[in-house]
Structures are given as C-alpha cells and as structure tokens.
Amino acid sequence: MREIPGRRRRLLSRQKGGRSELIGAALTFATQWGWPVLPGVAADPEGRSRCACPDPECTVPGAHPFDPGLLAATTDERMVRWWWTNRPTAPIVLATGGSAPCAVSLPALPAARALAALDRDGMRLGPVVASDTRWSILVRPYSMEQLGDLLYAKDFVPGSLRFHGEGGYITLPPSETGRGPVRWERAPLPGSASPWVPDVEAVVDAVVDALTRTGVSAPEL
C-alpha cells in the first residue's frame, strides 16, 4: 500500500473530524435552537477559491444556497440528518429572519475595531460569526419596515454594512468555504436554549457610533 504523504494525511484526518462536527452543529442549530438550515453549495474541489455553482464569477464561493434553494431551509431533524449524511462537508447555511436570528455584517477589520470599542463601552452582544473577510453580528428578527425606519433616521450609515433579514442567509461555523473557514468570534453560551441576541437598533446604533468615533474606514467588500 502506498504511503499517504503527511500533509495530506493530516488534511484527510481533519476532514473526517469536520464531517461529524458539521452534522452535529447543523442538528444543534435546527433541533435545539429552532434555526432553519440547509446545506450550501461546496467550493470547487479543483480550486478552493472558486465555487461549484454554475456562476464562474461567484463572489461567495462555497458559501451560499444552490441546490436545494433557500426556501428548503428546515428545522426537521430527519431532513438535516439526511442532508449532511449525503453531503458531509457541505457548509451550513442559516436562513435568516422569521423564527431565526437576522444579522448585520461588515468587513472584518472594521468589525474587529468596532467590537473592541463596544467592549470598552460595555455593550452586550450575542454570537458573532467571522470569516476572513466579513463578520456577522446576530440580532433579533426584524421587518423591512423596521429596518427602513432605522436607516432613514440616521445621518450616516457606512455603505459596507449589510443586513441579512427575511429572505437572506449567512453561513454558520464550522463551515469551510472557498474563502476559508467560518468561525465564532463570539461563541454562543453553552446550553440547549437558543442563544440570546440583541435588537437590531442597538447594534446598528452602536456599530455606526463606534466606526465614527474610531475613524475606521469601512471599504465595500
């Protein structure tokens, strides 16, 4: 039998461990927390920076719904178990809004500085999802009317802020995408109940204020 090179052997070992970790996480989100999830499209095995979907210019490789579509997101244990049994390395996609949290996201560097400023101010945050390029702060579900009123009342909102509400999605840890791993920057507290998340108004107010006070330039990414 031919010996598997050390680097590849370690990679295969991580992949095997990651498979059980992914299905375990997906089941926790769906069955314990009541968050509707579905498997995302994988990164292209021929090139991790590319996506396996038909779009050759996909901007979120391996980090979005494709087949099944977003409307298939569910909390059903049997469906979730079947999906990740058949697609064990698929990213975990959360359908935001409805019974699930929404999210406010911004580029990673401004996000790190904003969170540090919020910590100094004693601002309470819930879970924060991080990738190499963007961080997503989970918030309570909100309506488009609520978001519109919130943004209209502000003199300035950074263009790099993105809002993931009803009909939107984010990728959850411990997914691996074409742009690298997705992790918890602020992990949910242990327990069976769905994690606490703040109101969108509090997060947007605090993030915009922190970005303004720290003079952070938040480029569109």
Side-chain angles (χ1 to χ4, degrees):
M1 179 181 293
R2 198 172 89 181
E3 175 69 18
I4 299 176
R7 182 175 180 277
R8 187 170 173 230
R9 185 167 58 246
R10 291 191 297 271
L11 177 60
L12 291 172
S13 175
R14 286 198 300 270
Q15 288 176 340
K16 289 177 181 177
R19 291 173 182 177
S20 60
E21 195 179 5
L22 279 164
I23 192 171
L27 287 168
T28 295
F29 301 145
T31 64
Q32 292 187 29
W33 298 354
W35 294 2
V37 297
L38 75 160
V41 64
D44 188 338
E46 300 300 320
R48 294 294 299 174
S49 63
R50 299 197 303 269
C51 192
C53 75
D55 182 0
E57 299 180 358
C58 179
T59 58
V60 283
H64 66 89
F66 175 62
D67 183 18
L70 186 62
L71 292 179
T74 184
T75 59
D76 181 76
E77 179 179 357
R78 291 173 299 176
M79 191 73 245
V80 171
R81 199 177 290 278
W82 184 85
W83 273 333
W84 272 274
T85 298
N86 288 277
R87 298 169 59 180
T89 60
I92 303 171
V93 174
L94 168 69
T96 53
S99 61
C102 295
V104 177
S105 72
L106 63 161
L109 180 57
R113 293 178 179 173
L115 260 64
L118 299 185
D119 285 342
R120 291 192 295 270
D121 292 343
M123 169 77 183
R124 183 187 179 191
L125 292 175
V128 178
V129 177
S131 70
D132 288 345
T133 55
R134 293 189 74 84
W135 291 12
S136 299
I137 303 170
L138 299 189
V139 297
R140 290 177 187 167
Y142 56 79
S143 67
M144 293 305 295
E145 291 78 12
Q146 181 183 3
L147 180 62
D149 290 343
L150 172 63
L151 299 182
Y152 182 77
K154 293 206 159 297
D155 294 328
F156 168 75
V157 176
S160 59
L161 281 183
R162 293 180 187 167
F163 300 91
H164 309 262
E166 187 76 33
Y169 64 88
I170 61 170
T171 307
L172 294 175
S175 300
E176 183 79 27
T177 75
R179 291 187 173 179
V182 178
R183 59 181 173 80
W184 294 114
E185 175 62 26
R186 301 287 173 87
L189 295 176
S192 58
S194 181
W196 177 88
V197 292
D199 290 328
V200 66
E201 292 92 345
V203 167
V204 172
D205 287 346
V207 167
V208 170
D209 181 60
L211 293 177
T212 302
R213 284 190 289 113
T214 55
V216 174
S217 175
E220 184 71 36
L221 288 175

